[in-house]
Amino acid sequence: MSSQESGREKEIIELDEARLQGQAEIWRYMFSFADSMALKSAVELRIADIIHSHGVAITLSQIASCINGCLTSPDITTLARIMRLLVRRKIFTVHHPLDGGDPLYDLTHSSRWLLHDSEQTLAPMVLMENHPWLIAPWHCFSQCVKEGGIAFKKAHGREIWDLTSGNPEFNKLFNDGLASTSKVVTSAILSGYKQGLSSIESLVDVGGGIGGLISEIVKAYPHIKGVNFDLPHVVLAAPAYNEISHVGGDMFHVIPNANAVIMKWVLHDWGDEDCIKILKNCRKAIPRENGKVIIVEVVVKAEGSGVFDDMGFIFDLLMIAHSSGGKERTEVEWKKILEEGGFSRYKIIDIPALPSIIEAYPDDQ
């Protein structure tokens, strides 16, 4: 065989391998929802909690015996098949004893994030995001491309806030999901932004809900005078915290004065024009000499290879599914709205969580 023929045969083999790999990837993406559903079932069955409560690796029979709410004996065969996938996805681990005994299942660094009673858990978010009502808008993406409009409204005939307000059970599921992620991100802010917080004398949390973030910041930095700012009906439900003032209002009108403003996962809910309005009000609320705005948001990185970078693209689609015009932004997109909002200087600070901190300074500083 000539070198030309050999080279041609190699090209054909490589092309066949690429086509096969391409087919395999489409199969994988086609059924990627299976990972979510297996994960959801593990959370619903509290499998991580059951293993954790034993303190050691346990068998499927032991797991099954601790599952609550069964009308009959749990189907161990079905459980085994679900666990087989979750082990392959490294959510759990399995050990096969040398003596031929039953396989023993244990937690991994991933499944520890599924513990319901842990201070740092994503279990409520798993249940929330995989609820049928929140899955439905994802089926409307192509319709949104063709017609425009809001995916959630196309799926349900109303926006997400209308659905939560009329369904107490779903509202609790929704609030629990958001609260769990808030705790995770708050912990990351406190550990990854110490220098940025230590120099602040007063801080207003815009869109602070019932005060979870600002209360934790002030607890860690008692010298900070904290203001929790949200809509009047929201702050009415906020508990009392030491050194925290709850202020009701509208961020599109005026924001309370402070040395610094913090906004966690607020701006991604809004389009550029609305974000610029909010930023201009932040600019008015802080001193020009040493004021700053602390924005806790995802920064989408087109070529990013960091541990959370892939999620930036997914969260951007999540905004299509669940928001009314929000989006995740690249650094270029953040720079544009910051400049138009009066903040031409900024720096991006990585913290150990999905979002980053964008620390922005007024133009005349």
Side-chain angles (χ1 to χ4, degrees):
M1 180 184 297
S2 68
S3 60
Q4 185 175 2
E5 290 173 328
S6 177
R8 178 58 180 159
E9 183 176 341
K10 183 180 178 182
E11 287 178 6
I12 292 171
I13 292 172
E14 289 176 349
L15 180 59
D16 287 343
E17 289 177 348
R19 285 173 175 166
L20 195 63
Q21 180 63 33
Q23 181 191 154
E25 288 177 357
I26 295 300
W27 279 111
R28 179 162 62 92
Y29 296 138
M30 187 191 311
F31 288 104
S32 60
F33 67 87
D35 293 338
S36 297
M37 295 301 104
L39 189 66
K40 179 187 179 185
S41 68
V43 173
E44 291 175 327
L45 296 169
R46 293 180 173 256
I47 292 173
D49 299 273
I50 290 169
I51 297 172
H52 180 67
S53 68
H54 281 73
V56 294
I58 57 176
T59 66
L60 276 180
S61 295
Q62 288 174 299
I63 293 173
S65 68
C66 296
I67 293 174
N68 295 323
C70 298
L71 298 177
T72 59
S73 298
D75 186 335
I76 294 183
T77 301
T78 299
L79 178 61
R81 292 159 70 182
I82 293 170
M83 289 296 285
R84 182 167 59 181
L85 176 63
L86 292 174
V87 166
R88 186 170 178 84
R89 295 292 182 262
K90 297 181 173 58
I91 305 298
F92 296 98
T93 186
V94 64
H95 169 68
H96 297 276
L98 295 176
D99 62 5
D102 290 340
L104 298 170
Y105 293 84
D106 207 348
L107 302 177
T108 65
H109 288 299
S110 295
S111 47
R112 291 186 183 278
W113 287 95
L114 303 180
L115 296 171
H116 284 77
D117 296 329
S118 173
E119 186 66 22
Q120 299 281 293
T121 179
L122 290 173
M125 190 67 166
V126 172
L127 298 178
M128 169 192 150
E129 289 296 347
N130 289 286
H131 188 282
W133 289 355
L134 290 183
I135 291 291
W138 292 83
H139 292 280
C140 300
F141 279 11
S142 59
Q143 193 178 347
C144 288
V145 171
K146 293 175 182 178
E147 306 167 358
I150 299 169
F152 200 92
K153 199 168 184 178
K154 289 181 184 295
H156 298 292
R158 47 187 166 166
E159 295 188 32
I160 193 167
W161 311 116
D162 298 321
L163 196 60
T164 56
S165 63
N167 296 271
E169 186 177 341
F170 178 70
N171 186 55
K172 184 180 186 307
L173 180 78
F174 188 81
N175 289 336
D176 288 348
L178 295 185
S180 71
T181 59
S182 181
K183 287 181 180 179
V184 170
V185 175
T186 296
S187 176
I189 293 169
L190 292 174
S191 66
Y193 189 56
K194 294 178 180 178
Q195 187 173 355
L197 292 171
S198 61
S199 59
I200 295 172
E201 294 179 6
S202 59
L203 178 66
V204 56
D205 184 3
V206 173
I210 60 171
L213 172 61
I214 192 70
S215 65
E216 290 299 317
I217 290 175
V218 171
K219 189 187 299 181
Y221 299 90
H223 69 276
I224 295 177
K225 180 182 177 183
V227 177
N228 178 52
F229 180 68
D230 211 311
L231 294 170
H233 75 274
V234 175
V235 297
L236 275 175
Y241 298 105
N242 291 332
E243 304 302 322
I244 303 292
S245 301
H246 295 295
V247 178
D250 186 340
M251 63 186 175
F252 287 103
H253 292 154
V254 65
I255 291 170
N257 293 334
N259 293 137
V261 169
I262 189 167
M263 292 184 287
K264 175 172 63 65
W265 270 336
V266 170
L267 296 183
H268 76 163
D269 285 328
W270 301 94
D272 290 358
E273 186 177 332
D274 285 328
C275 285
I276 292 165
K277 288 179 184 177
I278 297 167
L279 287 167
K280 285 181 176 178
N281 286 336
C282 290
R283 173 65 193 84
K284 295 173 185 175
I286 60 175
R288 64 181 183 181
E289 298 83 7
N290 59 357
K292 63 183 177 182
V293 171
I294 304 157
I295 301 167
V296 185
E297 294 277 6
V298 168
V299 179
V300 177
K301 301 174 184 176
E303 304 299 329
S305 57
V307 65
F308 290 112
D309 285 342
D310 198 51
M311 284 304 303
F313 298 90
I314 294 171
F315 257 62
D316 188 40
L317 297 188
L318 180 66
M319 301 311 295
I320 296 175
H322 295 165
S323 79
S324 305
K327 62 180 179 179
E328 306 297 351
R329 294 173 169 88
T330 64
E331 182 176 352
V332 171
E333 290 171 319
W334 279 117
K335 184 174 185 292
K336 180 178 181 296
I337 64 170
L338 284 169
E339 287 179 345
E340 294 188 35
F343 298 88
S344 57
R345 294 193 306 115
Y346 68 91
K347 64 180 177 181
I348 296 174
I349 302 166
D350 289 331
I351 57 174
L354 172 60
S356 300
I357 286 176
I358 306 170
E359 194 177 70
Y361 322 101
D363 288 343
D364 48 3
Q365 192 175 107

